[in-house]
Amino acid sequence: MDDRLRKQLDFSLEIDKEKNVFRQTHLSSHGRNENDAEHAWHMAVMAYLLREYSNSEIDIAKTMLMCLIHDIVEIDAGDTYAYDEAEQSTRKEREDKAKERIFSILPSDQKKELEAVFDEFELGESAEARFAKAMDNLQPLLLNNSNGGSDWIEHGVRAEQVYNRQKTTALGSEALYEITAEIIESNRQKGSLK
């Protein structure tokens, strides 16, 4: 086997570990906690299905790739709960270190390519990144709503916190932000969000 193929297969096996990183969000209908790989897959499919609601024209393949790789770094860095301010303060440092180790498994050209896509998502400046971030926000919101807001209740999350996180959804899709606002308000009225 040549060195390039070996590196590509090593990376392919390494990212399998993402299936063992569990998130705070539960699967719909009060299922178990979802893992990062399921979250990424769900986001990518949602991006494809909902692309017509993007505020701007997007390269859907690039957007889906962003969705699929955006949490790979959590193999080393662990999942950082969106509403945990202490963990959020160290997230970038942990994820940068993980990004270097994990993407370095690849051949150098693919390492540069995937790091560039990952960094583009993190910056959130391109139309693709803004829409991928909208999916990153909408996907767990839909799951939380399907579970009667139980994850928000468990963590004592306030409606204001969810609104603040969803501001980036509007940057990617104003139409989908309107839906998120309805979901947040419904859960606030039911008492699922403080």
Side-chain angles (χ1 to χ4, degrees):
M1 176 180 337
D2 73 21
D3 188 54
R4 180 177 180 82
L5 179 55
R6 182 189 53 76
K7 288 178 178 181
Q8 291 166 326
L9 293 177
D10 287 349
F11 180 82
S12 297
L13 189 57
E14 182 67 20
I15 64 172
D16 182 66
K17 294 176 182 175
E18 193 176 7
K19 296 173 188 172
N20 289 314
V21 179
F22 287 90
R23 299 166 44 83
Q24 295 298 316
T25 308
H26 287 79
L27 301 176
S28 60
S29 304
H30 301 282
R32 62 166 169 77
N33 291 66
E34 76 173 338
N35 66 46
D36 272 359
E38 292 165 331
H39 165 65
W41 163 82
H42 201 179
M43 281 175 56
V45 174
M46 287 173 59
Y48 181 82
L49 294 174
L50 302 174
R51 68 189 183 277
E52 67 194 81
Y53 302 104
S54 175
N55 292 342
S56 307
E57 286 291 318
I58 57 171
D59 175 341
I60 192 59
K62 185 177 192 180
T63 305
M64 292 174 73
L65 180 59
M66 282 182 187
C67 291
L68 291 169
I69 69 165
H70 82 287
D71 275 346
I72 283 175
V73 294
E74 292 185 1
I75 291 168
D76 290 356
D79 177 57
T80 303
Y81 186 52
Y83 306 109
D84 185 327
E85 292 176 17
E87 278 198 353
Q88 286 293 337
S89 69
T90 64
R91 182 183 67 84
K92 181 164 177 17
E93 180 183 331
R94 289 181 286 117
E95 290 187 355
D96 283 349
K97 185 177 177 182
K99 176 180 75 170
E100 178 57 31
R101 185 196 72 79
I102 295 166
F103 289 121
S104 289
I105 296 169
L106 285 165
S108 62
D109 63 316
Q110 289 184 321
K111 173 188 188 283
K112 288 176 188 169
E113 177 189 0
L114 290 188
E115 281 183 333
V117 171
F118 177 88
D119 291 342
E120 183 178 338
F121 173 83
E122 287 295 308
L123 287 172
E125 294 174 352
S126 68
E128 289 80 10
R130 289 190 300 269
F131 195 68
K133 284 185 173 287
M135 297 302 99
D136 196 24
N137 291 340
L138 179 60
Q139 188 269 346
L141 184 100
L142 291 176
L143 292 182
N144 274 318
N145 186 56
S146 79
N147 290 318
S150 61
D151 296 323
W152 291 320
I153 294 167
E154 178 184 339
H155 295 282
V157 176
R158 300 180 317 278
E160 175 187 352
Q161 291 174 284
V162 183
Y163 275 118
N164 284 338
R165 180 167 174 82
Q166 292 295 329
K167 285 179 187 175
T168 57
T169 299
L171 298 175
S173 173
E174 291 177 17
L176 295 176
Y177 177 75
E178 289 178 22
I179 302 302
T180 67
E182 289 174 18
I183 291 171
I184 295 166
E185 188 56 28
S186 171
N187 278 276
R188 190 191 62 75
Q189 289 177 6
K190 290 188 280 189
S192 305
L193 288 165
K194 295 179 181 181

